[in-house]
Amino acid sequence: MAGALLERAGISYEIFEKSKDIKGLGSSLTLASSLVVVFEQLGVYKELISIVKPFDALHLKKEDLAPIGAFRPPPNMNLERYGDEVGVVTRPDLAKLLATLVPKDKIHFNTRVMSTMQSEDRVTLQCSDHNLYQGSILIGADGAYSNTRQTLYNSMAEKGILPESDGEPLGYGFDCAVGVTEPLDEAVYPALKEKYCRFEILLGKDIPYSWWLMTLTDNRVGWIITQDVRSQSRSNSEKRHFNYSDWGPDAALEMCNRVRDYASPIGGTMGDIYDKTPKDAISKIMLEDKFYTTWHHGRTVLLGDACHKMLPFGGQGANMAMLGALDLVNLLYDMESDTQEEITSVFERYHNSRRAASRAAFNSSHQTANLMHGKGIVADVIRYISLNWIPNWMIRWGSDKYNEYRHQVVFLPFVPLRGSFKYKTNKPSPKAASRYNIPTSI
């Protein structure tokens, strides 16, 4: 998202990507309706809608398919109140769409940033292609194990200015295997015909596993298996972190085999779903989380998982990263100079604009993890109340808080905000208005 926005802003940039191409790994994510207007401004609204399946309910069940409860917003609430549906999309599909908005010559594939150096007026990168690159700022959007963050924090620690909490390791609580099937037969899986995404979560009774299924566009199914390892010691977790055999393709398939004989909520068994997933599209990952205090220093700023790694259970990690990119590039566009003083001011405003919302999403992911994975009578009661007794007015109140802000790209023509809800929004940039004849009000 950051690259697509920088491209449209006319800001010079280069992207350094350690992989050889746009990876097709991952399962699916819930795309917030607040981001739809951004894709519309970028001119890919129709393309986005074609890969998104609208969401209307999340169903939680026991391993034998007996219902526990469901989170179901009031009928048509998202469309009527906020103007757009909440949708579910595969990570590979979304990544490929965003990649179409960035010229290929702006991306250095198979290039790892080895080290960074900051001075008063520039940042210098030394990369695995044996070249040096210089720029005014460095945006570290390189994920949970961000080399940009590690280099920045090491430098700050040497100066004695890194908060102690930022030097602590990420929290590790779950293992996860993910994948997306090939297109399936509607006659075998009738749920694929439904307009809305069938979002099903099954909880293992006497095993530390849960498995998730989401029907997607093009008759595909996204799936996730999670294993709760929170009871393991920190030392054991850290040993497994560095043991590749725990994370290779064989380990992912082994995890699938643990639950393959259980019934699938859309028909057949879970093994049937896994067997229809290309083997190179299955991966196993660690689910870790940490909310960092330091998001920037000097001419370096962190974005997305690099500064707030969230558990995926709240469905907000990717949304927070894209909204963060939106706020950051909006501020960069209106930057008056590239002096250190101006850059520090921009980075501080970015941090202030995103900290509260990102922290709320981070906390929500923890709460959802406990709701979905807790064991025992108390956890069962909490789940039952949360999924069966919460009134519609409370769901609307929570949704209103989440959708309170509907920011747009300040340097592109604004699009009308749909829905009956009264948003707090930003305004077009006066700089863009004079340059591109964009109205300063809507």
Side-chain angles (χ1 to χ4, degrees):
M1 176 63 82
L5 293 170
L6 289 168
E7 179 68 24
R8 296 299 298 273
I11 298 174
S12 177
Y13 69 97
E14 292 181 83
I15 297 174
F16 301 90
E17 172 56 53
K18 64 182 180 181
S19 63
K20 295 180 180 180
D21 51 28
I22 301 297
K23 287 189 175 182
L25 295 177
S27 182
S28 56
L29 60 91
T30 304
L31 187 72
S33 59
S34 57
L35 280 163
V36 174
V37 294
V38 178
F39 284 89
E40 187 172 357
Q41 286 183 281
L42 290 170
V44 290
Y45 175 79
K46 291 182 179 179
E47 292 83 351
L48 177 70
I49 297 304
S50 71
I51 61 174
V52 171
K53 191 151 190 171
F55 164 89
D56 74 333
L58 179 154
H59 300 272
L60 193 64
K61 297 179 178 179
K62 298 179 182 179
E63 62 184 39
D64 61 0
L65 304 185
I68 296 173
F71 172 77
R72 186 187 298 275
N76 298 316
M77 180 189 74
N78 287 302
L79 188 59
E80 294 176 358
R81 194 165 182 80
Y82 311 120
D84 294 289
E85 300 272 20
V86 172
V88 180
V89 59
T90 75
R91 289 179 177 272
D93 284 352
L94 186 61
K96 290 175 184 176
L97 175 59
L98 289 170
T100 65
L101 301 174
V102 178
K104 292 183 179 180
D105 62 357
K106 297 289 184 71
I107 307 177
H108 299 264
F109 284 110
N110 201 26
T111 304
R112 186 185 296 269
V113 176
M114 307 303 293
S115 65
T116 64
M117 296 167 283
Q118 296 194 81
S119 66
E120 181 64 26
D121 60 351
R122 70 190 64 187
V123 180
T124 302
L125 309 183
Q126 182 175 3
C127 296
S128 58
D129 62 359
H130 306 295
N131 288 319
L132 295 177
Y133 300 89
Q134 292 186 333
S136 296
I137 67 170
L138 170 63
I139 301 175
D142 46 346
Y145 311 112
S146 168
N147 185 57
T148 304
R149 183 187 66 236
Q150 190 60 49
T151 302
L152 178 68
Y153 282 11
N154 286 343
S155 173
M156 295 177 67
E158 291 176 358
K159 299 174 184 177
I161 57 175
L162 181 71
E164 183 177 351
S165 62
D166 283 342
E168 297 173 354
L170 287 83
Y172 168 39
F174 300 88
D175 291 341
C176 179
V178 298
V180 177
T181 69
E182 60 192 20
L184 305 180
D185 188 347
E186 290 182 349
V188 179
Y189 301 101
L192 297 170
K193 302 177 185 179
E194 298 173 7
K195 173 185 176 182
Y196 290 99
C197 167
R198 179 79 72 85
F199 202 124
E200 306 269 1
I201 304 175
L202 286 82
L203 303 184
K205 180 180 179 182
D206 298 317
I207 56 176
Y209 294 95
S210 68
W211 44 104
W212 307 42
L213 286 184
M214 298 135 283
T215 55
L216 304 167
T217 56
D218 297 330
N219 288 348
R220 296 168 299 166
V221 174
W223 55 266
I224 303 172
I225 308 169
T226 63
Q227 178 185 6
D228 190 343
V229 296
R230 288 176 293 181
S231 62
Q232 296 185 13
S233 67
R234 165 64 68 180
S235 60
N236 188 38
S237 297
E238 290 177 347
K239 289 178 182 178
R240 297 183 69 231
H241 185 283
F242 294 101
N243 186 355
Y244 177 77
S245 65
D246 283 337
W247 310 108
D250 291 341
L253 293 174
E254 179 185 353
M255 195 169 178
C256 295
N257 290 334
R258 300 283 179 87
V259 297
R260 69 176 294 112
D261 294 330
Y262 287 94
S264 159
I266 64 170
T269 66
M270 293 303 298
D272 296 331
I273 300 296
Y274 307 143
D275 292 343
K276 293 179 174 62
T277 303
K279 297 299 181 285
D280 60 356
I282 299 175
S283 58
K284 183 181 177 184
I285 56 176
M286 298 173 66
L287 297 185
E288 299 174 291
D289 68 334
K290 185 175 177 63
F291 194 89
Y292 291 93
T293 301
T294 305
W295 290 19
H296 64 90
H297 180 70
R299 291 177 172 267
T300 300
V301 64
L302 304 176
L303 179 65
D305 284 354
C307 55
H308 46 64
K309 177 65 178 76
M310 303 178 191
L311 296 173
F313 308 121
Q316 295 305 314
N319 290 317
M320 290 298 109
M322 288 187 283
L323 290 169
L326 172 63
D327 281 4
L328 177 60
V329 178
N330 277 345
L331 290 165
L332 291 175
Y333 180 82
D334 280 328
M335 206 166 59
E336 296 181 359
S337 70
D338 65 351
T339 64
Q340 182 63 70
E341 181 180 6
E342 178 73 6
I343 288 172
T344 298
S345 174
V346 165
F347 288 173
E348 287 177 349
R349 281 183 282 163
Y350 153 70
H351 187 198
N352 291 337
S353 71
R354 297 306 313 160
R355 181 176 56 235
S358 299
R359 169 60 81 174
F362 179 87
N363 293 341
S364 175
S365 70
H366 261 281
Q367 295 164 1
T368 305
N370 292 330
L371 179 70
M372 299 302 180
H373 297 90
K375 300 290 186 180
I377 295 177
V378 173
D380 290 342
V381 171
I382 293 174
R383 267 193 294 270
Y384 183 81
I385 293 174
S386 299
L387 296 171
N388 294 282
W389 286 5
I390 295 180
N392 283 343
W393 69 262
M394 187 173 291
I395 295 176
R396 278 193 295 268
W397 176 82
S399 296
D400 286 350
K401 292 292 290 182
Y402 179 77
N403 287 281
E404 184 177 8
Y405 295 94
R406 186 60 56 97
H407 285 180
Q408 299 197 41
V409 184
V410 299
F411 46 84
L412 295 176
F414 273 35
V415 299
L417 295 179
R418 297 175 286 272
S420 61
F421 186 68
K422 302 300 181 184
Y423 305 100
K424 295 178 181 178
T425 188
N426 53 350
K427 296 181 180 180
S429 166
K431 177 180 174 182
S434 61
R435 182 173 299 179
Y436 301 115
N437 196 30
I438 298 176
T440 57
S441 63
I442 56 174

